[in-house]
Amino acid sequence: MIMEENNNVWPGPKGMIPVTSGRPSDANVTTRNYLDQILVEMRAIDATMPDLSTEIFGRKYSTPLMMPAFSHLNKVLKDGRKPMNEYSEVANEMNILNWIGMESDEDYADIVSCGVPTVRIIKPFMDHNLILEQIAFAESHGAVAVGIDIDHVPGKNGQYDAPDGMPLGPVLFEDLKRYVKAAHVPFVAKGVLSVHDALKCREAGCRAVLVSHHHGRLPYALPPVAILPDIKKALKGSGMQIFCDCHIDSGYDAYKALAMGADAVAPGRSILAPLLKTGKDGLIDKLNKMNNELKEMMLYTGIKNTRLFDPTVLHRTKL
């Protein structure tokens, strides 16, 4: 990939990472800028209409876009709508892999009652039995995979976090192996942002990793797409699938992450506004737009299906 220096970058460990001002403490700003400075060359001759169908954990889905692992949205709005139920219903109707984050077992069961294929992501609770119980509950309610947020351990006070008053704890390697062994479906480590952790996840028996900084939980975090090629190389031949999120705001962003090594990607907060504002219709419109943008970029670069992405079409350069 081509890289040109300019005066608006920070010399990061893998190259020049652009920032808008000051130091890159805001990982979301850094990630957005990094994605925007990846340019794409055109390969139009012999390009034909692409096929977005994608296999994840042995099942075929209509697109490499996945629902994000939202949490705490299972609230009833003034008009009676329940956003988590709506976005799960959209995933089911559009044949998109659904992800769900921190929810009680009761709410989780309600959210997936439409029968949508779902990955349940569990917090690293200090109470390990609670993790095991939630794994079993998800499996009993048809989860196609389960996993854990390895990156949601510390809080802003420098102590272990306690969302909703539920204490979290460290994810030790032996703990991770125990969770993987307890699961009878594929196990995902969410929040991997280094080759170091990716290799430990492989050794523990995880079937997939989600490369992410959890919407900037780590100050000065590398953009997930910056470390993605290294993780892809490190896991080559393992059979593991690699997912990516953080500022996948358009189909063009999705294309870049897929070309850099992701098997599938999850838009995050970019789908939140249409979901909350207009519910299912707004979310369907947003996802259709992203799928169309992804197909547009694939047509421009001669990529016929989601197994043929080529990182050599990407170039890092100043805008």
Side-chain angles (χ1 to χ4, degrees):
M1 294 172 67
I2 297 172
M3 188 181 301
E4 299 180 13
E5 294 187 12
N6 65 46
N7 294 325
N8 196 33
V9 295
W10 168 66
K14 295 295 181 182
M16 309 304 284
I17 295 180
V19 296
T20 52
S21 62
R23 300 164 67 189
S25 59
D26 188 335
N28 294 308
V29 172
T30 307
T31 300
R32 182 68 265 161
N33 291 343
Y34 190 96
L35 276 162
D36 288 342
Q37 287 205 350
I38 298 173
L39 306 185
V40 184
E41 68 177 61
M42 186 163 60
R43 300 176 181 178
I45 295 175
D46 291 328
T48 57
M49 185 61 65
D51 175 11
L52 292 188
S53 62
T54 303
E55 187 173 297
I56 306 172
F57 302 134
R59 297 187 181 208
K60 185 169 283 190
Y61 297 91
S62 66
T63 173
L65 300 180
M66 307 179 297
M67 290 299 192
F70 280 155
S71 301
H72 313 299
L73 281 183
N74 205 35
K75 309 294 188 290
V76 179
L77 303 183
K78 291 181 180 179
D79 57 4
R81 294 191 295 112
K82 299 174 77 172
M84 291 290 286
N85 292 67
E86 288 185 317
Y87 102 139
S88 295
E89 290 164 7
V90 167
N92 202 35
E93 292 169 14
M94 295 184 68
N95 189 26
I96 293 173
L97 179 59
N98 195 40
W99 293 60
I100 293 176
M102 184 177 179
E103 299 288 352
S104 69
D105 282 348
E106 180 181 4
D107 283 340
Y108 178 85
D110 181 46
I111 294 166
V112 302
S113 60
C114 64
V116 61
T118 297
V119 180
R120 185 182 195 179
I121 297 298
I122 300 164
K123 293 298 182 191
F125 299 116
M126 186 69 76
D127 181 354
H128 293 190
N129 288 330
L130 180 56
I131 296 172
L132 297 173
E133 289 169 6
Q134 291 198 352
I135 289 173
F137 188 88
E139 291 179 350
S140 71
H141 285 74
V144 298
V146 295
I148 194 165
D149 271 319
I150 70 166
D151 60 351
H152 193 164
V153 174
K156 292 299 182 183
N157 61 356
Q159 305 299 314
Y160 294 135
D161 204 4
D164 294 345
M166 302 183 72
L168 306 184
V171 180
L172 304 181
F173 178 68
E174 292 301 320
D175 297 331
L176 186 58
K177 287 200 297 183
R178 181 185 178 195
Y179 306 146
V180 171
K181 186 176 181 181
H184 299 94
V185 293
F187 196 92
V188 184
K190 179 178 178 290
V192 172
L193 202 64
S194 66
V195 170
H196 172 276
D197 281 351
L199 292 176
K200 286 195 171 186
C201 291
R202 181 184 68 181
E203 188 178 350
C206 293
R207 288 274 301 279
V209 295
L210 195 155
V211 183
S212 174
H213 58 47
H214 207 130
H215 200 70
R217 285 199 63 83
L218 168 67
Y220 299 91
L222 278 169
V225 287
I227 196 67
L228 179 57
D230 290 343
I231 291 175
K232 179 77 170 182
K233 181 179 180 181
L235 297 181
K236 184 177 181 180
S238 67
M240 294 174 64
Q241 291 196 282
I242 302 171
F243 310 130
C244 184
D245 69 7
C246 296
H247 283 280
I248 308 298
D249 299 332
S250 69
Y252 308 132
D253 296 330
Y255 177 97
K256 294 174 185 180
L258 291 162
M260 294 178 80
D263 295 301
V265 298
R269 302 191 183 196
S270 63
I271 73 168
L272 191 55
L275 171 64
L276 295 179
K277 185 176 181 180
T278 54
K280 291 176 64 174
D281 290 343
L283 181 53
I284 290 171
D285 287 345
K286 171 64 176 176
L287 291 169
N288 280 334
K289 181 180 180 183
M290 292 184 69
N291 277 329
N292 289 338
E293 291 168 342
L294 176 56
K295 286 192 292 184
E296 176 192 358
M297 192 68 83
M298 292 171 72
L299 265 171
Y300 269 125
T301 54
I303 305 300
K304 293 179 171 56
N305 61 58
T306 58
R307 299 179 300 280
L308 297 176
F309 283 101
D310 183 350
T312 66
V313 305
L314 305 180
H315 301 263
R316 280 283 308 285
T317 184
K318 62 183 179 181
L319 299 177

